[in-house]
Amino acid sequence: MSLSPGARIAQYEVVAPLGAGGMGEVYRAHDSRLGRDVALKVLPERFAGDPDMRARFEHEARAVAAISHPNIMAIHELAFLDGLPVAVIELIEGESLRDRILRGPMPWRETVQMAARIADGLGAAHAKGIVHRDLKPENVFVTPEGRPKILDFGLARTEPAMAMVASATTFAATEPGRVLGTVGYMAPEQVRGEAATPATDVFALGCTMAEMLTGTRPFARATPAESVAAVLTEPAPDLLATGLDLPPRLAEIVAHCLEKDVAHRFSSARDVATALRALLTESSSNHAATPRRRSRTRSLAVLPFVTPEGDDDADYLADGITESIINSLSQLPKLRVVPRSTVFAYKGRVVSARSVGLALNVDVLVTGRVVQQGGTLNIQAELVDVVRETQVWGDQYRYPISDLLAMQEQIAWQISEALRIRLTGQEKKRLRSRPTGDSEAYQEYLRGRHEWNKWRPDAFQKAIEHFERAIERDPKYARAYAGLGDTYGAMGYYGFMPTELAMTRSSAAAYKALDLDPKLAEAHATLGMARTFYLWDWIGAEHAFKKAIELDARYPIAHMMYGLLLSCLGRHDEAMAESRRGRDLDPLSLLMQIGVAWASYFARRYSDALDALRDVLVVQPGNQEALTILATIYERMGLLDRAADTFASVQQFFGVGLPAELTASLKGRLQAEGPRGYWVARQELLCASEGSVLCNDYAVAGTLGQLGDIDSGLAALERMVGTRSGHAVFLGVDPALDPLRENPRFEALLRRIGLPAVLATR
């Protein structure tokens, strides 16, 4: 069905044709309701009479519309013309990745950055149960800013057989047993007509990366049949043999994507992205040497110890044992140990040692299994070489649960021996040191941290109970006081208990921990948090965070929290550096990524904020805090339709259910009434959530400012400052408050908080 300029479909007026492909014709159009240009994709006339093709077109469009990822071309909605579906999609400028490759091979850093973003997009789709099955340079668009956008996500399943174009042949089929994809990019299992999985897209990504680096297709041969045979039987090309100046580890990553056997390939696009970003964080001064040979420093990851399925009692012990071994080994010299948050992203996942090793950039893995039988613990632990995928060391332990500390100490000691790390007398003493001599106090501490890491209000309350029991058993247990301080601080900031009460208790617990152990970095960081979000003691807070970093430069939370303090003070470059340092230390931690997102948002670097949130949502697609930040950023960018879609996917916020009819009304009010209708609906959503952490004076002030009710917005901020809400520290830098910023009452609030005068004159 062809459309002429001037034709209208709902509020969309056709401007000009953009092109045509197997799945339809694409037109540029103007959205008169929202004042933006979009693209319209119309089902080809030859499919108009095929109800199955129409149904698939609609189904896939709805599926892709649900992904909402910055590296996937967005589908806004489905419109209909004479009963035929029309996909309203994001209009993007730039060129295809194929056009970019035709200009010559890409530098390895550019390749890695772009491939990591493509992997992010694939990961987001895989999390929704969607496999692309036809990833190739033609289906990736590159914006002028260098951001890739994956096209035709999922819709390629309905594409008919096409003629060979530039040695690439695309097949499509509807019945089982036939192949779908492009020869030269299809994985072996895809060629054989087997079910496609996320690993199938990983293979195509490996082919695409190889082509980006070399300019040639790794499995392209004279005929499609020979190309298929190459995919099935020939090894992946040796990128290091090409003479290109590449990091050997990049060649490893590409080769691992191109493994013939699915079981030996990266099983997750998320792991590919993690491995590529780990490569970027390494020093580029000597990238021609492998990381393992460049330094005598070893690298290790302790994967979460597993328990028998359904054994909840042993679960907290397994998590605690894992964390304790990480903490012990982190003290060893010349050993880089991956932090807890990063390795716990692998909890419950079955992955190969090589995949994890490449993703986390480590030499060896520690794995283990915990079985509790009454009062006895059986632990099996082993050390695995990730390159050879062989066991370096392994042992089994059977101890009374009361000897848990001794068991963990023994495991850490034997690992250091297996790694042949020479320790001084002081280092041996530190490795054998115990945080408490009371086994029951230690178990209560483990339960407390287990609850704390769930990051929910009910879990925080349980964490407090466990930490307090640990302190009752051992009043000199410094880490238990630090855990208590962390919990009260989080509850006060999020409004789960009165700010003054929570922050006072947080400070008292941190001071007590420091009385018992002045060198406890986490207690200094907790004290810095209370001084920031409650006392507004900017100098004291900075001193506390710096002290925490001085005592333990590898403590990521200290860097992240210090970054937020620097954001409050308007020192945005420093804030970005600190928040990114925290993320680099713990790259898979959702908290670290959210810290980068906040620092970027306050610096008005929205693209960087979106990148950080993308990483969160790839790992945990429904993360409520990330989604609300994402919606806020879309609001600042003027993309209210995307903000509405994002809010509609937030089912609850910290345990508080959101009225589905109100989150859904955001989009409807926007389309019917424009931006003001959206903000009215936003205010109604906040009011309906009154009494929850979502509805607070800070959030209300932002929506009132957008509606032009300056006096009421300022009154809300004055109430917030009067209660010393933790959100008050962001007054000087939050773009959401810009409509209120020029009023003298706003400047008076900044002076009351004690923020630098330069912020008051923005």
Side-chain angles (χ1 to χ4, degrees):
M1 174 176 53
S2 299
L3 299 177
S4 302
R8 296 189 67 87
I9 301 175
Q11 74 265 31
Y12 306 104
E13 180 178 349
V14 175
V15 176
L18 291 176
M23 266 309 296
E25 300 167 346
V26 183
Y27 298 85
R28 187 186 192 103
H30 183 72
D31 181 347
S32 59
R33 186 167 293 162
L34 297 180
R36 63 178 178 179
D37 282 354
V38 298
L40 302 180
K41 190 170 187 177
V42 184
L43 194 67
E45 287 187 13
R46 63 182 181 277
F47 294 152
D50 187 335
D52 288 339
M53 296 299 285
R54 290 173 55 182
R56 289 187 176 195
F57 185 92
E58 294 182 38
H59 173 76
E60 299 298 345
R62 290 191 177 97
V64 177
I67 298 175
S68 184
H69 192 277
N71 299 133
I72 295 176
M73 181 195 66
I75 296 183
H76 301 309
E77 65 171 327
L78 275 175
F80 290 87
L81 179 63
D82 297 331
L84 292 178
V86 177
V88 182
I89 59 181
E90 176 184 10
L91 181 67
I92 49 180
E93 309 287 347
E95 63 179 351
S96 72
L97 181 56
R98 166 65 62 215
D99 291 335
R100 171 63 188 86
I101 293 173
L102 288 174
R103 298 204 305 272
M106 296 167 57
W108 75 264
R109 283 188 178 277
E110 182 184 353
T111 296
V112 169
Q113 290 168 342
M114 189 170 296
R117 288 178 166 178
I118 295 172
D120 289 334
L122 290 172
H126 295 162
K128 294 285 187 178
I130 301 172
V131 179
H132 194 292
R133 298 196 292 182
D134 196 22
L135 183 74
K136 56 187 176 182
E138 288 83 354
N139 281 341
V140 178
F141 209 77
V142 183
T143 70
E145 299 76 29
R147 178 179 295 279
K149 296 273 188 176
I150 306 174
L151 310 178
D152 289 333
F153 219 110
L155 300 182
R157 278 181 259 187
T158 59
E159 195 164 326
M162 295 174 60
M164 188 170 70
V165 179
S167 302
T169 305
T170 301
F171 301 96
T174 58
E175 61 271 11
R178 292 185 62 189
V179 294
L180 166 67
T182 300
V183 171
Y185 300 92
M186 288 189 293
E189 67 273 13
Q190 198 174 4
V191 170
R192 292 191 293 265
E194 298 169 3
T197 69
T200 304
D201 284 345
V202 167
F203 187 92
L205 177 59
C207 293
T208 301
M209 281 195 284
E211 189 172 354
M212 293 162 73
L213 292 165
T214 65
T216 59
R217 303 174 188 182
F219 297 106
R221 301 296 184 265
T223 67
E226 290 175 302
S227 296
V228 167
V231 167
L232 291 172
T233 63
E234 295 182 19
D238 182 356
L239 293 180
L240 296 180
T242 62
L244 295 172
D245 185 21
L246 303 176
R249 201 163 151 269
L250 175 55
E252 284 185 67
I253 293 170
V254 175
H256 196 48
C257 290
L258 296 177
E259 290 280 3
K260 308 291 185 187
D261 188 339
V262 175
H264 294 159
R265 195 183 307 154
F266 279 113
S267 61
S268 161
R270 181 178 72 195
D271 288 344
V272 180
T274 301
L276 291 170
R277 288 199 171 87
L279 183 63
L280 287 175
T281 61
E282 297 171 4
S283 170
S284 61
S285 60
N286 188 23
H287 68 257
T290 61
R292 302 188 250 291
R293 296 173 183 169
R294 196 169 57 232
S295 167
R296 294 179 59 191
T297 299
R298 302 294 300 274
S299 53
L300 172 146
V302 185
L303 293 186
F305 280 31
V306 299
T307 60
E309 188 174 353
D311 190 349
D312 294 335
D313 289 337
D315 196 40
Y316 87 90
L317 286 171
D319 288 357
I321 291 168
T322 305
E323 186 169 358
S324 296
I325 294 173
I326 290 171
N327 292 338
S328 296
L329 295 177
S330 295
Q331 302 176 51
L332 299 181
K334 297 181 180 178
L335 180 65
R336 181 180 69 86
V337 181
V338 177
R340 178 200 187 281
S341 298
T342 294
V343 296
F344 268 74
Y346 288 89
K347 185 172 181 177
R349 294 178 58 195
V350 178
V351 289
S352 70
R354 189 180 177 206
S355 293
V356 178
L358 285 170
L360 301 182
N361 188 22
V362 295
D363 302 302
V364 288
L365 299 176
V366 178
T367 63
R369 181 178 177 82
V370 179
V371 178
Q372 183 177 4
Q373 296 174 328
T376 301
L377 282 181
N378 292 287
I379 298 182
Q380 180 179 350
E382 66 177 0
L383 195 64
V384 178
D385 183 301
V386 300
V387 176
R388 299 177 180 85
E389 295 192 274
T390 57
Q391 186 187 75
V392 176
W393 160 87
D395 208 341
Q396 294 190 34
Y397 305 85
R398 183 179 175 84
Y399 278 72
I401 195 170
S402 58
D403 288 343
L404 179 58
L405 283 163
M407 187 189 308
Q408 292 172 174
E409 177 185 301
Q410 183 67 14
I411 295 173
W413 179 263
Q414 288 192 251
I415 291 172
S416 70
E417 289 287 302
L419 293 174
R420 298 180 181 179
I421 297 175
R422 294 184 178 181
L423 304 177
T424 66
Q426 185 63 33
E427 289 162 348
K428 291 178 181 178
K429 181 179 178 181
R430 190 161 60 242
L431 186 60
R432 292 188 180 276
S433 65
R434 297 183 180 182
T436 178
D438 189 302
S439 178
E440 290 188 28
Y442 180 60
Q443 291 176 55
E444 289 293 348
Y445 174 79
L446 293 184
R447 291 186 179 97
R449 280 300 180 188
H450 185 70
E451 295 295 336
W452 153 264
N453 284 306
K454 294 178 182 178
W455 209 251
R456 297 195 313 262
D458 59 327
F460 283 146
Q461 189 58 53
K462 292 178 182 178
I464 288 174
E465 294 169 4
H466 289 303
F467 290 137
E468 287 179 339
R469 289 191 197 119
I471 292 167
E472 287 175 7
R473 294 284 311 181
D474 182 358
K476 295 184 178 181
Y477 197 170
R479 288 191 181 276
Y481 282 106
L484 195 61
D486 288 343
T487 310
Y488 277 125
M491 294 185 77
Y493 174 76
Y494 285 109
F496 299 145
M497 65 185 303
T499 304
E500 181 177 6
L501 177 63
M503 290 300 184
T504 299
R505 290 181 177 180
S506 177
S507 298
Y511 277 121
K512 182 62 177 179
L514 292 174
D515 285 343
L516 295 167
D517 185 356
K519 294 185 178 181
L520 191 57
E522 59 194 85
H524 284 284
T526 300
L527 194 59
M529 181 180 66
R531 288 174 175 173
T532 300
F533 293 104
Y534 178 63
L535 297 175
W536 304 334
D537 175 8
W538 312 112
I539 295 175
E542 184 163 13
H543 173 78
F545 288 130
K546 284 185 173 180
K547 185 64 176 179
I549 293 169
E550 175 190 333
L551 290 168
D552 186 358
R554 294 189 291 183
Y555 183 40
I557 289 179
H559 291 281
M560 186 271 287
M561 296 300 298
Y562 185 30
L564 286 179
L565 169 67
L566 293 168
S567 288
C568 298
L569 300 177
R571 293 157 59 181
H572 296 300
D573 289 340
E574 295 174 80
M576 292 295 298
E578 284 296 331
S579 61
R580 285 172 174 165
R581 176 60 177 155
R583 181 187 61 186
D584 291 345
L585 288 167
D586 202 352
L588 293 187
S589 166
L590 304 186
L591 185 61
M592 293 303 106
Q593 294 288 3
I594 286 174
V596 172
W598 277 126
S600 304
Y601 168 72
F602 292 134
R604 301 170 188 254
R605 301 173 188 176
Y606 299 136
S607 178
D608 291 335
L610 291 175
D611 286 343
L613 294 172
R614 168 208 61 211
D615 293 337
V616 174
L617 295 170
V618 166
V619 176
Q620 192 179 93
N623 185 280
Q624 52 206 5
E625 187 167 8
L627 287 170
T628 54
I629 302 170
L630 180 63
T632 300
I633 292 170
Y634 283 147
E635 288 174 347
R636 302 284 73 75
M637 297 174 70
L639 303 174
L640 298 183
D641 56 326
R642 291 195 187 180
D645 289 337
T646 304
F647 270 122
S649 66
V650 181
Q651 302 300 315
Q652 60 177 8
F653 191 79
F654 282 107
V656 178
L658 302 184
E661 67 278 6
L662 289 181
T663 56
S665 73
L666 290 169
K667 187 72 169 283
R669 295 284 288 275
L670 173 66
Q671 293 177 336
E673 305 169 35
R676 183 171 180 81
Y678 171 89
W679 288 110
V680 169
R682 267 282 265 133
Q683 184 70 358
E684 291 173 354
L685 176 61
L686 290 176
C687 293
S689 306
E690 188 173 0
S692 75
V693 294
L694 183 64
C695 181
N696 55 67
D697 285 324
Y698 191 81
V700 167
T703 56
L704 289 173
Q706 294 295 331
L707 290 169
D709 191 349
I710 305 301
D711 286 340
S712 297
L714 289 168
L717 293 183
E718 288 163 350
R719 288 194 301 271
M720 178 195 67
V721 171
T723 60
R724 301 189 78 86
S725 166
H727 296 92
V729 300
F730 302 122
L731 280 180
V733 292
D734 192 342
L737 302 178
D738 283 354
L740 310 173
R741 199 169 297 282
E742 300 302 321
N743 192 288
R745 289 167 63 188
F746 190 93
E747 296 180 10
L749 286 173
L750 290 180
R751 290 192 295 271
R752 184 174 169 186
I753 294 172
L755 288 169
V758 64
L759 296 180
T761 58
R762 288 180 51 147

